[in-house]
Coordinates of all heavy atoms in Angstrom, one line a residue:
A1 N -22.2 11.3 19.7 CA -22.8 10.0 20.2 C -23.6 9.2 19.0 O -23.7 7.9 19.0 CB -23.9 10.2 21.3
D2 N -23.9 10.0 17.9 CA -24.7 9.3 16.9 C -23.7 8.7 15.9 O -24.1 8.0 14.9 CB -25.5 10.4 16.1 CG -26.8 10.8 17.0 OD1 -27.1 10.0 17.9 OD2 -27.3 11.8 16.9
H3 N -22.5 9.0 16.0 CA -21.5 8.5 15.1 C -21.3 7.0 15.1 O -21.0 6.5 16.2 CB -20.1 9.1 15.2 CG -19.1 8.6 14.2 ND1 -19.2 8.9 13.0 CD2 -17.9 7.9 14.4 CE1 -18.1 8.3 12.3 NE2 -17.4 7.7 13.2
A4 N -21.5 6.2 14.0 CA -21.5 4.8 14.0 C -20.2 4.2 13.4 O -20.1 3.0 13.2 CB -22.7 4.2 13.3
G5 N -19.2 5.0 13.1 CA -18.1 4.6 12.4 C -18.2 4.6 10.8 O -19.1 5.3 10.4
P6 N -17.2 4.2 10.2 CA -17.3 4.3 8.7 C -18.5 3.5 8.2 O -18.9 2.4 8.6 CB -16.0 3.7 8.2 CG -15.5 2.9 9.3 CD -16.1 3.4 10.6
S7 N -19.1 4.0 7.1 CA -20.1 3.2 6.4 C -19.7 1.9 5.8 O -18.6 1.8 5.4 CB -20.9 4.2 5.4 OG -19.9 4.5 4.3
A8 N -20.7 1.1 5.8 CA -20.1 -0.2 5.1 C -19.9 0.1 3.7 O -20.4 0.9 2.9 CB -21.5 -1.2 5.2
L9 N -18.9 -0.8 3.2 CA -18.4 -0.7 1.8 C -18.4 -2.1 1.3 O -17.7 -2.9 1.7 CB -17.1 0.1 1.9 CG -16.5 0.4 0.6 CD1 -17.4 1.4 -0.3 CD2 -15.1 1.1 0.8
A10 N -19.1 -2.3 0.1 CA -18.9 -3.5 -0.6 C -17.7 -3.7 -1.2 O -17.0 -2.8 -1.7 CB -20.2 -3.6 -1.5
L11 N -17.3 -5.0 -1.3 CA -16.0 -5.3 -2.0 C -16.3 -5.8 -3.3 O -16.6 -7.1 -3.4 CB -15.2 -6.2 -1.2 CG -13.7 -6.5 -1.8 CD1 -12.9 -5.4 -2.0 CD2 -13.0 -7.5 -0.9
D12 N -16.3 -5.2 -4.4 CA -16.7 -5.7 -5.8 C -15.3 -6.1 -6.4 O -14.2 -5.8 -5.9 CB -17.4 -4.7 -6.5 CG -16.6 -3.2 -6.7 OD1 -15.5 -3.4 -7.1 OD2 -17.2 -2.3 -6.3
P13 N -15.5 -7.0 -7.4 CA -14.3 -7.5 -8.1 C -13.3 -6.5 -8.6 O -12.0 -6.6 -8.5 CB -14.9 -8.2 -9.2 CG -16.3 -8.6 -8.8 CD -16.6 -7.4 -8.1
A14 N -13.7 -5.3 -9.0 CA -12.9 -4.2 -9.5 C -12.1 -3.6 -8.4 O -10.9 -3.4 -8.5 CB -13.7 -3.1 -10.2
A15 N -12.7 -3.4 -7.1 CA -12.1 -2.9 -6.0 C -11.0 -3.9 -5.5 O -9.9 -3.6 -5.2 CB -13.0 -2.6 -5.0
E16 N -11.3 -5.2 -5.7 CA -10.4 -6.3 -5.3 C -9.1 -6.3 -6.2 O -8.0 -6.4 -5.6 CB -11.1 -7.7 -5.3 CG -10.4 -8.6 -4.6 CD -11.2 -10.0 -4.5 OE1 -12.0 -10.1 -3.6 OE2 -11.0 -10.8 -5.4
D17 N -9.4 -6.1 -7.4 CA -8.2 -6.0 -8.5 C -7.4 -4.8 -8.1 O -6.2 -4.9 -8.3 CB -8.9 -6.0 -9.8 CG -9.3 -7.3 -10.3 OD1 -9.1 -8.3 -9.7 OD2 -10.0 -7.2 -11.4
E18 N -8.0 -3.6 -7.8 CA -7.2 -2.5 -7.5 C -6.4 -2.7 -6.2 O -5.3 -2.3 -6.1 CB -8.2 -1.3 -7.2 CG -8.8 -0.7 -8.5 CD -10.0 0.3 -8.1 OE1 -10.1 0.8 -6.9 OE2 -10.8 0.6 -9.0
A19 N -7.1 -3.3 -5.2 CA -6.2 -3.6 -4.0 C -5.0 -4.6 -4.3 O -4.0 -4.4 -3.8 CB -7.2 -4.4 -3.0
I20 N -5.3 -5.6 -5.1 CA -4.2 -6.5 -5.5 C -3.0 -5.8 -6.2 O -1.8 -5.9 -5.9 CB -4.6 -7.6 -6.3 CG1 -5.5 -8.6 -5.4 CG2 -3.5 -8.5 -6.9 CD1 -6.3 -9.7 -6.2
N21 N -3.5 -4.9 -7.2 CA -2.5 -4.1 -8.0 C -1.7 -3.3 -7.1 O -0.4 -3.0 -7.2 CB -3.1 -3.3 -9.1 CG -3.6 -4.3 -10.2 OD1 -3.2 -5.3 -10.4 ND2 -4.7 -3.8 -10.9
A22 N -2.3 -2.5 -6.1 CA -1.6 -1.7 -5.1 C -0.6 -2.5 -4.3 O 0.5 -2.1 -4.0 CB -2.6 -0.9 -4.3
A23 N -1.1 -3.7 -3.8 CA -0.2 -4.6 -3.0 C 0.9 -5.0 -3.8 O 2.0 -5.2 -3.1 CB -1.1 -5.7 -2.5
V24 N 0.9 -5.3 -5.1 CA 1.9 -5.7 -5.9 C 3.0 -4.5 -5.8 O 4.3 -4.8 -5.7 CB 1.6 -6.0 -7.3 CG1 2.8 -6.1 -8.3 CG2 0.7 -7.2 -7.5
K25 N 2.6 -3.4 -6.0 CA 3.5 -2.2 -5.9 C 4.3 -2.1 -4.5 O 5.5 -1.8 -4.4 CB 2.9 -0.9 -6.2 CG 2.4 -0.8 -7.6 CD 1.6 0.4 -7.8 CE 1.1 0.5 -9.3 NZ 0.1 1.7 -9.5
V26 N 3.4 -2.4 -3.4 CA 4.0 -2.3 -2.1 C 5.0 -3.4 -2.0 O 6.1 -3.1 -1.5 CB 2.8 -2.5 -1.1 CG1 3.5 -2.6 0.3 CG2 1.9 -1.3 -1.1
M27 N 4.7 -4.7 -2.4 CA 5.6 -5.7 -2.2 C 7.0 -5.5 -3.0 O 8.1 -5.8 -2.6 CB 5.1 -7.0 -2.6 CG 4.3 -7.7 -1.4 SD 5.1 -7.9 0.1 CE 6.3 -9.3 -0.3
A28 N 6.9 -4.9 -4.2 CA 8.0 -4.5 -5.0 C 9.0 -3.5 -4.3 O 10.1 -3.8 -4.3 CB 7.7 -3.9 -6.4
A29 N 8.2 -2.5 -3.7 CA 9.1 -1.6 -3.0 C 9.7 -2.2 -1.7 O 10.8 -1.9 -1.3 CB 8.2 -0.3 -2.7
Y30 N 8.8 -2.9 -1.0 CA 9.3 -3.5 0.3 C 10.5 -4.5 0.0 O 11.3 -4.5 0.9 CB 8.0 -4.2 0.9 CG 8.4 -4.7 2.3 CD1 8.0 -3.9 3.5 CD2 8.7 -6.1 2.6 CE1 8.3 -4.3 4.6 CE2 8.9 -6.5 3.8 CZ 8.6 -5.6 5.0 OH 8.9 -6.1 6.2
T31 N 10.4 -5.3 -0.9 CA 11.5 -6.4 -1.1 C 12.7 -5.8 -1.9 O 13.7 -6.5 -2.0 CB 10.9 -7.5 -1.9 OG1 10.4 -7.1 -3.0 CG2 9.7 -8.2 -1.1
D32 N 12.6 -4.5 -2.3 CA 13.8 -3.9 -2.9 C 14.9 -3.4 -1.8 O 15.0 -2.3 -1.6 CB 13.3 -2.7 -3.9 CG 14.4 -2.2 -4.6 OD1 15.5 -2.8 -4.8 OD2 14.1 -1.1 -5.4
T33 N 15.5 -4.4 -1.3 CA 16.3 -4.2 -0.1 C 17.8 -3.8 -0.5 O 18.6 -3.5 0.4 CB 16.4 -5.5 0.8 OG1 16.9 -6.5 -0.1 CG2 15.2 -5.8 1.4
G34 N 18.0 -3.6 -1.8 CA 19.4 -3.3 -2.3 C 19.6 -1.7 -2.2 O 20.6 -1.2 -2.4
K35 N 18.5 -0.9 -1.9 CA 18.6 0.5 -1.8 C 19.1 0.8 -0.3 O 19.1 0.0 0.6 CB 17.2 1.1 -2.0 CG 16.7 1.0 -3.4 CD 15.3 1.5 -3.6 CE 14.9 1.5 -5.0 NZ 13.7 2.2 -5.2
T36 N 19.5 2.1 -0.2 CA 19.8 2.7 1.2 C 18.5 2.8 2.0 O 17.4 2.7 1.3 CB 20.4 4.0 1.0 OG1 19.3 5.0 0.6 CG2 21.6 4.1 0.3
K37 N 18.6 2.8 3.2 CA 17.3 2.9 4.1 C 16.4 4.1 3.6 O 15.3 3.9 3.5 CB 17.7 3.1 5.5 CG 16.6 3.2 6.5 CD 17.0 3.3 7.9 CE 15.8 3.5 8.8 NZ 16.2 3.7 10.2
E38 N 17.0 5.3 3.3 CA 16.3 6.5 3.0 C 15.6 6.3 1.6 O 14.4 6.6 1.5 CB 17.2 7.6 2.9 CG 17.7 8.2 4.3 CD 18.8 7.1 4.9 OE1 19.5 6.5 4.1 OE2 19.0 7.2 6.1
E39 N 16.3 5.7 0.6 CA 15.8 5.4 -0.7 C 14.6 4.4 -0.6 O 13.6 4.5 -1.2 CB 16.8 4.9 -1.7 CG 17.9 5.9 -2.0 CD 19.0 5.3 -2.8 OE1 19.3 4.1 -2.7 OE2 19.7 5.9 -3.7
W40 N 14.9 3.4 0.2 CA 13.9 2.3 0.3 C 12.5 2.9 0.9 O 11.5 2.7 0.4 CB 14.4 1.2 1.3 CG 13.4 0.1 1.5 CD1 13.3 -1.0 0.8 CD2 12.7 0.0 2.7 NE1 12.3 -1.7 1.5 CE2 11.9 -1.1 2.7 CE3 12.4 0.9 3.8 CZ2 11.0 -1.5 3.7 CZ3 11.6 0.5 4.8 CH2 10.9 -0.8 4.7
F41 N 12.7 3.7 2.0 CA 11.5 4.3 2.6 C 10.9 5.3 1.7 O 9.6 5.4 1.6 CB 11.9 5.0 4.0 CG 10.8 5.5 4.7 CD1 9.8 4.7 5.2 CD2 10.5 6.9 4.8 CE1 8.6 5.2 5.9 CE2 9.4 7.4 5.5 CZ 8.5 6.5 6.1
R42 N 11.7 6.1 1.0 CA 11.1 7.1 0.0 C 10.2 6.4 -1.0 O 9.2 6.9 -1.3 CB 12.2 7.8 -0.6 CG 11.7 9.2 -1.2 CD 12.8 10.1 -1.6 NE 13.9 10.3 -0.6 CZ 15.2 10.0 -1.0 NH1 15.5 9.4 -2.1 NH2 16.2 10.1 0.0
A43 N 10.6 5.2 -1.4 CA 9.8 4.4 -2.5 C 8.6 3.8 -1.8 O 7.5 3.8 -2.5 CB 10.7 3.3 -3.1
L44 N 8.7 3.4 -0.7 CA 7.6 2.8 0.1 C 6.5 3.7 0.6 O 5.3 3.4 0.6 CB 8.2 1.9 1.2 CG 7.1 1.0 1.9 CD1 6.5 0.0 0.9 CD2 7.8 0.3 3.2
A45 N 7.0 4.9 1.0 CA 6.1 5.7 1.9 C 4.8 6.3 1.1 O 3.7 6.2 1.7 CB 6.8 7.1 2.2
P46 N 4.8 6.5 -0.2 CA 3.5 7.0 -0.8 C 2.5 5.7 -0.8 O 1.3 6.0 -1.2 CB 4.0 7.4 -2.2 CG 5.4 7.3 -2.2 CD 6.0 6.6 -1.1
L47 N 3.0 4.5 -0.7 CA 2.1 3.4 -0.7 C 1.5 2.9 0.5 O 0.7 1.9 0.4 CB 2.9 2.3 -1.4 CG 3.7 2.6 -2.8 CD1 4.6 1.4 -3.2 CD2 2.7 3.0 -3.9
I48 N 1.9 3.6 1.7 CA 1.4 3.0 3.0 C 0.8 4.1 3.7 O 0.8 5.2 3.4 CB 2.7 2.4 3.8 CG1 3.8 3.7 4.0 CG2 3.3 1.3 3.0 CD1 4.9 3.2 4.7

């Protein structure tokens, strides 16, 4: 009953840059549609 969920976390510029850089990798893997379904998912899975 005392659990209030995850603690608040500030979004500083460094964390925002890290999020953008990670998202760039996700979009690169996501839009790489020339691969087989298994290869595509194998590249995307560690990023999601």
Side-chain angles (χ1 to χ4, degrees):
D2 292 335
H3 181 67
S7 59
L9 187 59
L11 183 61
D12 58 53
E16 193 173 275
D17 287 344
E18 290 171 9
I20 292 170
N21 291 335
V24 167
K25 292 176 185 173
V26 171
M27 278 306 284
Y30 188 85
T31 58
D32 191 4
T33 59
K35 294 181 176 180
T36 67
K37 179 180 175 179
E38 291 76 22
E39 292 171 332
W40 177 86
F41 183 72
R42 201 173 310 121
L44 187 64
L47 307 172
I48 61 179

